[in-house]
Amino acid sequence: IELSVNSSLSTTSLTRDLWDLQGTLGLCFSILALCGTRHFPLAPLQHHTFFWEGIDGSRVLTHFPPGDSYGMQGRVEEMLKTVKNNKDKGRVNHSAFLFGFGDGGGGPTQKMLDRMKRMRDTDGLPRVQISTPDQLFSALEKDSSQLYTWVGELFLELHNGTYTTQAQIKKGNRECERILHDIEVLSTLAMVQGSGFQYPASQLQRLWRLLLLNQFHDVLPGSCIQLVVEDALQYYAEIRRAGAGLQQEAVQSLCRELLEPEAGNAGSTLVVNTLPWERTEVISRAGPAGTETLGLVTAPSMGYAVVRELLLPPQPVVVRKREDGSIAMENGVIAACLDVMGHLISLQLLDPQRESVPDGCCANQFALFDDVPLYWDAWDVMDYHLETRKPVTTLLKPLEVTLAGGLRGSVTFSLQIGKSSTLTQEIILDAMCPYLRFLTQVEWKEAHKFLKVEFPVQVRSTNATYEIQFGHLQRPTHWNTSWDWARFEVWAHKWLDLSEHGFGVALLNDCKYGASAHGNILSLSLLRAPKSPDATADMGHHQFTYAVMPHLGSFQDAGVIQHAYSLNFPLHTVPARSAPCPPWSAFSVSSPAVVLETVKQAGPQGRHGEGRGVKLLVRSMACSSLAGRAS
């Protein structure tokens, strides 16, 4: 067995190195394959040399150094451990040995190099040679015919707390991704209309680099010191500030004539949609004397419409208060009933009269857990925290009606959480909307506590589905094995869904990443309170929104993916003149199985940026196996 010894694995054209990962998603390899990557060395997890296959079938040759370290010293016992640990002996005869003071330590020393030189060809030891990543993977490729293939994510059974720690950083990341997405779409549409608009490529590149800087190893996970948090929040503020200006410039160029006010004409609204499907939603728009009024509007796919006369819903929202203090809300699509503490005691999909909440249970149940990990405060949440669950039961302000119905109905209540924290929530039901929204504000002053919200649902399935970057995957809802048990806290993006044949319930959110589904209980992780390395982590005010959506059929057929996007990408509204203007759409997708994720300028035209025509980059993703095409 030969060991290729590397003191520094640099990125090459064929090899990508990602060390000290806190879990690896199932889509990573699709992205690597698109970049031309054929080889993928990683920090130690399960298996050592194998093909790793992503959710779309893309594969890369992957190697985990069997020494289970990236900071070895070149000692004989480390060499022997590397050989003994290799789980793929007999299928391949090469592996990597990573030496030097790693993890920010300073690299190899002369003593280490001398040790390796003496072990180059020593009886009883593997043959050792100083090598490069490409040389190692060339040798591995020659022996790859008998390698196993691993499909999907490799779940790191550690650092589950990083999905929730530093909630303001998580929120800034989601918001700024949306802002930059919308700027790219609106700037592209303004550019192709030929109004002389210059695509803000350099400004966008600067803002994307700020955002990606915050996605570095310990920033987005929240495992950073207080000074880093302060810098990160300043970067998000800069993206929001500069992004608002770029967005305004793009809208003004795209819709310049529509935005010119005419004497005596007021009251129309320009509604801009940056998502690739038509949307009919309730919006808030400026009324007389600075007031806000609600309106039901339809916006075309990736385009705009001038709204003069508002739509009337097929059935208005009805809100009724009952004698026991509970409140019922209904909009013709779903019907909800909430008790005085804001618990959801009934949620029906009206067409088949299907109840989502099991008898004797209540959803929207807040629970507080003791959160004292063994080692890494900001990084870890231990499985034993589940044994400390305490339902939040202290009511500060009972449920009351704030909007009585019509286009929107809403109710509010307040709770005390723990010793010092408070939570105020507005529960909102809009006309024609298939989900119930929970706008939540928390004053968080706890220490070593973990706040979650739980939704028991009347659905039975052995797997739940979670959104990941540009796709989704399934994870078990049971704890049959140690691997299943390790997934007591997992990560998701905009939604998770639990479905059985013909029916399911989805949980959507606008800035959360920690979640779980055990049995029939969907849980969203809201806030933690670690004290190291940042003693002030998550203290203060938080605002976030989540939503629950019962549906018929599969989550794909019910449009869960599209509704989660719509929750995260609100319609843009701008006062407009009242002259007639037909709706305009730049892109549409003929199949709901395809999501048009990104539309942007492809790059400079011609040698110095000039040239005829405009080249666009259009990136789409498939959310089911149905065929679809963009038009």
Side-chain angles (χ1 to χ4, degrees):
I1 298 177
E2 283 195 3
L3 295 183
S4 296
V5 183
N6 298 273
S7 62
S8 173
L9 292 184
S10 60
T11 301
T12 69
S13 60
L14 299 178
T15 307
R16 296 293 182 268
D17 315 317
L18 293 175
W19 302 104
D20 204 9
L21 288 181
Q22 298 175 1
T24 308
L25 63 151
L27 185 81
C28 182
F29 324 105
S30 310
I31 298 172
L32 292 174
L34 288 172
C35 295
T37 302
R38 293 161 52 194
H39 314 138
F40 191 46
L42 265 179
L45 290 172
Q46 294 145 358
H47 256 307
H48 289 113
T49 305
F50 56 96
F51 286 104
W52 206 343
E53 185 174 303
I55 58 175
D56 67 346
S58 302
R59 296 202 315 171
V60 291
L61 178 60
T62 305
H63 180 65
F64 291 169
D68 290 351
S69 172
Y70 47 70
M72 291 183 280
Q73 308 292 305
R75 297 190 175 94
V76 169
E77 58 266 30
E78 294 170 338
M79 296 290 179
L80 295 175
K81 176 186 175 182
T82 296
V83 175
K84 182 179 178 181
N85 276 6
N86 193 338
K87 298 175 183 177
D88 298 286
K89 290 192 295 281
R91 285 181 286 273
V92 291
N93 292 314
H94 298 81
S95 65
F97 180 95
L98 306 180
F99 69 98
F101 289 102
D103 206 7
T109 65
Q110 186 62 48
K111 182 183 290 187
M112 297 175 194
L113 295 171
D114 292 342
R115 286 172 182 163
M116 245 94 59
K117 185 176 180 180
R118 288 194 292 270
M119 288 187 284
R120 185 172 298 169
D121 190 8
T122 301
D123 289 346
L125 293 177
R127 289 192 295 275
V128 177
Q129 66 181 52
I130 303 294
S131 183
T132 66
D134 277 350
Q135 289 172 338
L136 168 64
F137 277 98
S138 294
L140 291 174
E141 279 188 323
K142 294 176 183 177
D143 296 335
S144 64
S145 60
Q146 298 183 51
L147 290 179
Y148 291 124
T149 297
W150 182 282
V151 179
E153 69 175 349
L154 274 174
F155 188 82
L156 179 66
E157 299 179 2
L158 199 67
H159 298 346
N160 312 56
T162 59
Y163 315 147
T164 307
T165 306
Q166 297 287 7
Q168 296 291 8
I169 287 180
K170 266 70 170 179
K171 182 175 182 177
N173 180 75
R174 184 81 64 86
E175 285 186 354
C176 291
E177 285 180 337
R178 169 184 57 81
I179 289 169
L180 297 182
H181 166 278
D182 285 359
I183 294 171
E184 288 179 340
V185 170
L186 295 170
S187 297
T188 301
L189 301 188
M191 180 180 62
V192 299
Q193 279 207 341
S195 59
F197 179 81
Q198 294 294 315
Y199 188 87
S202 59
Q203 297 98 310
L204 274 169
Q205 184 181 61
R206 182 180 72 88
L207 297 181
W208 270 116
R209 285 179 171 175
L210 278 181
L211 178 60
L212 294 175
L213 177 63
N214 275 0
Q215 293 183 359
F216 169 74
H217 181 78
D218 276 315
V219 182
L220 185 54
S223 46
C224 49
I225 63 175
Q226 183 179 353
L227 289 174
V228 173
V229 175
E230 294 171 359
D231 284 349
L233 296 181
Q234 288 177 5
Y235 294 153
Y236 289 135
E238 170 61 14
I239 294 171
R240 292 185 183 102
R241 184 199 63 78
L246 293 176
Q247 185 173 287
Q248 183 179 10
E249 291 173 8
V251 170
Q252 288 177 343
S253 177
L254 177 65
C255 312
R256 180 181 293 112
E257 295 180 359
L258 304 175
L259 300 179
E260 291 176 357
E262 291 184 351
N265 287 328
S268 291
T269 302
L270 177 72
V271 182
V272 183
N273 177 18
T274 59
L275 294 179
W277 46 78
E278 183 180 273
R279 299 161 65 181
T280 299
E281 297 177 11
V282 175
I283 62 167
S284 177
R285 61 177 189 165
T291 61
E292 287 193 350
T293 60
L294 299 177
L296 183 65
V297 300
T298 295
S301 152
M302 278 198 178
Y304 59 79
V306 174
V307 178
R308 302 176 63 193
E309 297 182 3
L310 300 175
L311 303 175
L312 294 176
Q315 184 169 329
V317 178
V318 177
V319 181
R320 296 187 302 273
K321 188 166 186 176
R322 297 174 175 174
E323 292 183 359
D324 60 359
S326 64
I327 296 176
M329 307 170 70
E330 182 178 328
N331 67 354
V333 182
I334 59 175
C337 185
L338 301 122
D339 69 13
V340 292
M341 291 195 63
H343 295 141
L344 186 62
I345 55 178
S346 175
L347 179 62
Q348 284 191 346
L349 196 57
L350 287 177
D351 190 7
Q353 292 291 313
R354 175 68 185 260
E355 177 61 56
S356 303
V357 181
D359 293 339
C361 297
C362 56
N364 198 39
Q365 171 67 64
F366 295 98
L368 198 63
F369 299 80
D370 294 337
D371 185 13
V372 186
L374 288 176
Y375 301 111
W376 302 286
D377 214 12
W379 288 260
D380 284 356
V381 57
M382 310 304 293
D383 53 5
Y384 55 72
H385 88 284
L386 298 171
E387 301 172 9
T388 67
R389 178 183 179 274
K390 299 179 185 68
V392 175
T393 58
T394 305
L395 183 64
L396 295 178
K397 183 179 178 183
L399 191 73
E400 63 180 14
V401 177
T402 47
L403 285 176
L407 290 178
R408 174 174 291 169
S410 69
V411 297
T412 59
F413 66 96
S414 297
L415 301 173
Q416 180 173 323
I417 301 173
K419 295 180 180 179
S420 309
S421 303
T422 59
L423 179 148
T424 300
Q425 190 169 74
E426 182 180 13
I427 303 175
I428 303 166
L429 181 63
D430 282 348
M432 299 180 64
C433 186
Y435 54 78
L436 189 65
R437 242 185 325 142
F438 301 82
L439 174 59
T440 312
Q441 301 196 53
V442 181
E443 293 295 334
W444 187 242
K445 302 175 183 178
E446 301 303 305
H448 288 116
K449 299 293 182 182
F450 198 165
L451 180 65
K452 302 183 184 183
V453 64
E454 300 169 346
F455 284 80
V457 296
Q458 202 157 290
V459 176
R460 181 173 176 82
S461 177
T462 56
N463 290 288
T465 307
Y466 302 79
E467 187 193 40
I468 65 173
Q469 297 94 325
F470 305 107
H472 53 266
L473 50 77
Q474 290 188 329
R475 300 185 181 111
T477 59
H478 55 75
W479 294 338
N480 285 356
T481 70
S482 62
W483 287 16
D484 301 330
W485 173 252
R487 289 175 167 85
F488 63 86
E489 177 80 7
V490 299
W491 57 272
H493 279 220
K494 296 184 289 294
W495 58 269
L496 66 147
D497 179 86
L498 186 65
S499 291
E500 61 190 25
H501 180 69
F503 182 75
V505 178
L507 199 56
L508 322 178
N509 76 86
D510 72 345
C511 62
K512 297 301 175 185
Y513 293 92
S516 67
H518 182 223
N520 68 328
I521 299 177
L522 299 176
S523 177
L524 193 65
S525 299
L526 303 178
L527 293 168
R528 294 187 71 218
K531 296 303 173 186
S532 175
D534 177 8
T536 66
D538 285 318
M539 295 297 99
H541 180 77
H542 298 269
Q543 179 174 310
F544 48 86
T545 296
Y546 55 87
V548 61
M549 176 181 167
H551 60 84
L552 294 178
S554 68
F555 68 87
Q556 294 102 326
D557 295 338
V560 167
I561 297 171
Q562 286 80 2
H563 286 295
Y565 268 93
S566 297
L567 180 68
N568 281 266
F569 290 79
L571 294 170
H572 300 277
T573 59
V574 185
R577 63 188 181 91
S578 297
C581 175
W584 179 78
S585 173
F587 293 91
S588 63
V589 180
S590 57
S591 169
V594 176
V595 173
L596 191 58
E597 168 65 33
T598 302
V599 177
K600 59 187 292 186
Q601 185 186 52
Q605 308 298 306
R607 250 180 103 181
H608 302 289
E610 73 279 357
R612 295 184 178 180
V614 175
K615 292 183 180 179
L616 303 183
L617 185 151
V618 178
R619 183 183 298 119
S620 62
M621 70 174 186
C623 54
S624 76
S625 58
L626 298 174
R629 61 184 179 85
S631 59

